[in-house]
Amino acid sequence: MVVDMTIAEDISLLESQKEFIRRYRATESDGIKNVLPMLASSCPGWVCYAEKTHGSYILPYIATTKSPQQIMGSIIKNWIAHNLGDRPIYHITVMPCYDKKLEAAREDFLNKETQSRDVDCVITAIELEQMLEKDGISLDSLDNSTISQPWFVKGNNEISPFLTKHVGSGSGGYADYIFKYAAEELFGEDIENLEYKSLRNPDFREVLLQKEGKVLLRFAIANGFRNIQNLVQKLKRGKSQYHYVEVMACPSGCLNGGAQVRPGDGITIKELTTRLENLYESLPCTSPEENKVVKELYDSWLGGQESDKCNAILHTQYHAVEKAPNALNIKW
Ligand code: SF4
C-alpha cells in the first residue's frame, strides 16, 4: 500500500492546538512555569539538538505531541494492522531529511512486546531518486496511480485522493493553525489570514494578536540553527516573550530539508526552494477539523478527544543526553 500522510499531519496539528491551550491555561490560571513558550516538536533535527545541548532546561517547553511521521507509525502499526487481522506490516516513510531516521530509531517508538518499530525504515527524497536512477527509471516517465485509503472507518472514501497543503509554512503550518485556534478559543477572535513580520532575517518571522494596544498572542517561526540559538539564549535569560514558536532546524524549513532532491545544473538551492514553495502554495488547502476520517479515528480508535488513549498514543517524551565527561576536566 502507498498511503498519504495528511491524516497524521492533521492529527498532529489538532493535538498541538489542544496542547497549546492546556499549557496557556496552566500558565494563566494556575501560574505554572516552564510550559510557555510551547516549542514545536515535529523536527527531530531540533529535538535531538535540544536533548544533547540544552538538556533538561529546554525540554519542558517542547510540545509532547508526536510528529506526523510517528503518528502515522502508530496508525499503521496499531489501527491498520489490527483491522487487517493483526498482520505484520513493514512500514516505510519517505522524508525530506536524514534526521527522520534518528527519530524513527528512538527507543520511545519501539514496541517492546513485539520488538517492532512504528516506522521500520525511512527513505529520503534523495535516496529515492538514487534508487530510481540506479534502475534507469525517470519519475516523469511513470503513470500516476491511486493512493490507498485503508482507514477502516466511515467516510473512508470521502477523503481527497489528491495532495493537499497546510497553510502557513512548508513545515506543517503549526504556527498558523495553533494561532488561529488559540485566538478563537481563548479570545473569541476569528482570524482568517495571518500577517507575519520578518525580524532579524526572513527565517525568523513573528505574528501578533493585539487588542486595545495589548499583545494577546505572540507567535514566531524560527528556521535554521542561527535563529534557534538566539531563541534558546533569550529563553535562558528569561527574555523570550513568545507563547509559541514553530522551530525547524533547516533554513526555510522542511521544503529545504537536508535530503531533498538536489537542484539540477544552473539552478541554485534557493531557486529550487522557491519553486517548491510556489508548487506547494498552489495545492488545495486542507482543514484538520473537517477531515472526516480523522474524526472517525478519534471516535473509533482513540476513545474520543482528550482521552487517556490519545495521550498514550499521540504524545511522547524527551530525554536529556548526559554530556560525556571530557578527559581533561576529570579531577583525578
Ligand atoms: S526542518 Fe529539516 S531537519 Fe527538521 S524535520 Fe524539516 S527537513 Fe527534517
Side-chain angles (χ1 to χ4, degrees):
M1 286 189 292
V2 176
V3 295
D4 172 35
M5 277 188 46
T6 303
I7 287 200
E9 289 164 1
D10 282 355
I11 292 179
S12 185
L13 285 170
L14 293 172
E15 285 301 307
S16 299
Q17 289 172 341
K18 285 178 278 182
E19 183 177 356
F20 177 77
I21 300 295
R22 284 196 296 274
R23 284 173 178 254
Y24 186 93
R25 291 197 169 128
T27 309
E28 291 295 304
S29 326
D30 309 331
I32 295 178
K33 291 193 175 13
N34 299 345
V35 289
L36 288 184
M38 180 167 114
L39 304 175
S41 57
S42 70
C43 169
W46 145 240
V47 170
C48 290
Y49 164 79
E51 287 182 324
K52 279 192 196 141
T53 318
H54 300 287
S56 51
Y57 179 78
I58 216 81
L59 300 184
Y61 295 101
I62 302 181
T64 58
T65 301
K66 281 185 189 173
S67 73
Q69 168 172 272
Q70 296 310 135
I71 289 181
M72 197 65 191
S74 300
I75 298 175
I76 298 278
K77 289 292 182 96
N78 289 280
W79 178 249
I80 292 181
H82 171 70
N83 280 287
L84 287 172
D86 288 322
R87 266 169 55 181
I89 295 179
Y90 193 77
H91 179 207
I92 304 172
T93 57
V94 179
M95 287 287 146
C97 61
Y98 297 102
D99 300 79
K100 284 284 170 187
K101 294 175 192 267
L102 296 177
E103 181 181 75
R106 288 171 77 89
E107 282 296 297
D108 307 271
F109 304 135
L110 171 73
N111 181 330
K112 299 218 166 56
E113 255 172 58
T114 59
Q115 284 299 304
S116 158
R117 291 196 178 279
D118 293 341
V119 178
D120 295 292
C121 175
V122 178
I123 298 179
T124 64
I126 205 164
E127 288 169 331
L128 193 61
E129 187 188 40
Q130 283 163 356
M131 286 181 208
L132 291 171
E133 266 174 19
K134 199 164 150 235
D135 286 349
I137 299 169
S138 152
L139 259 188
D140 295 339
S141 68
L142 300 176
D143 293 331
N144 284 337
S145 65
T146 332
I147 294 177
S148 306
Q149 305 286 1
W151 311 116
F152 297 99
V153 289
K154 278 187 272 167
N156 194 72
N157 297 324
E158 289 173 39
I159 200 153
S160 165
F162 305 108
L163 292 179
T164 51
K165 71 167 177 189
H166 289 101
V167 286
S169 71
S171 309
Y174 285 88
D176 230 78
Y177 282 86
I178 299 171
F179 188 96
K180 288 177 190 160
Y181 183 78
E184 170 80 55
E185 191 73 16
L186 299 170
F187 306 106
E189 298 285 331
D190 181 12
I191 306 209
E192 215 161 292
N193 294 312
L194 302 191
E195 281 184 27
Y196 290 89
K197 202 170 98 191
S198 289
L199 295 185
R200 287 181 206 93
N201 52 66
D203 262 341
F204 197 101
R205 296 185 288 147
E206 183 182 272
V207 60
L208 307 178
L209 176 68
Q210 299 187 81
K211 209 172 181 182
E212 293 156 8
K214 195 174 164 223
V215 175
L216 302 178
L217 290 176
R218 189 186 294 268
F219 276 37
I221 297 178
N223 290 330
F225 276 107
R226 190 168 47 128
N227 289 318
I228 291 177
Q229 276 162 355
N230 281 334
L231 174 74
V232 170
Q233 288 318 320
K234 268 198 167 174
L235 250 174
K236 283 191 166 171
R237 291 201 302 266
K239 295 219 164 127
S240 164
Q241 296 177 312
Y242 292 107
H243 293 102
Y244 177 83
V245 187
E246 181 183 305
V247 186
M248 296 288 155
C250 296
S252 305
C254 295
L255 289 178
N256 180 37
Q260 287 279 30
V261 171
R262 301 281 186 259
D265 290 342
I267 305 171
T268 63
I269 289 189
K270 182 93 197 84
E271 283 163 352
L272 182 68
T273 308
T274 308
R275 279 193 205 178
L276 276 175
E277 283 166 353
N278 292 340
L279 263 177
Y280 188 69
E281 257 318 291
S282 68
L283 293 173
C285 184
T286 185
S287 161
E289 284 89 355
E290 286 164 23
N291 188 329
K292 287 188 184 147
V293 170
V294 165
K295 193 180 167 306
E296 286 291 330
L297 282 176
Y298 269 104
D299 292 345
S300 322
W301 173 41
L302 296 164
Q305 308 263 345
E306 313 239 15
S307 65
D308 289 347
K309 202 169 172 187
C310 279
N311 256 340
I313 291 184
L314 304 176
H315 291 255
T316 186
Q317 51 193 329
Y318 309 105
H319 317 277
V321 176
E322 292 290 323
K323 286 198 178 86
N326 180 337
L328 294 174
N329 293 338
I330 295 174
K331 293 193 173 70
W332 299 103

